[in-house]
């Protein structure tokens, strides 16, 4: 999602210019919503646990 063309409801100027606190808050929030930022450590650990459980289940079934 690009925010270059997004217009602020508060100051009616492009959010990317950051002219008011609402713009700056929106800009910061959208910059933090990158795919890498969404992967927090807890989610990685949960994902790893699911993967280990799936492998264990698979190994158990084949034996
Ligand atoms: Zn604004």
């Amino acid at each position: 999602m690009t925010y270059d063309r997004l217009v602020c409801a508060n100051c009616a100027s492009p959010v990317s210019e950051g002219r008011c606190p609402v713009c700056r808050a929106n800009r910061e929030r959208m910059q933090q919503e990158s795919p890498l930022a969404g992967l927090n450590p807890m989610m990685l650990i949960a994902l790893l646990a699911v993967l280990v459980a799936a492998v264990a289940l698979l190994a158990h079934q084949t034996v």
Side-chain angles (χ1 to χ4, degrees), residues 7-15 17-24 26:
V7 173
C8 176
N10 192 42
C11 65
S13 64
V15 171
E17 290 183 15
R19 288 188 187 178
C20 74
V22 176
C23 287
R24 285 192 284 274
N26 276 329

Side-chain angles (χ1 to χ4, degrees), residues 12 16 47:
S16 57
L47 209 71

Side-chain angles (χ1 to χ4, degrees), residues 25-55:
N26 276 329
R27 193 174 54 174
E28 264 182 47
R29 186 172 54 83
M30 277 182 266
Q31 280 173 345
Q32 284 170 357
E33 281 178 1
S34 64
L36 270 175
L39 282 174
N40 58 48
M42 278 305 289
M43 222 173 121
L44 278 176
I45 290 169
L47 209 71
L48 200 71
V50 169
L51 201 74
V52 167
V55 168

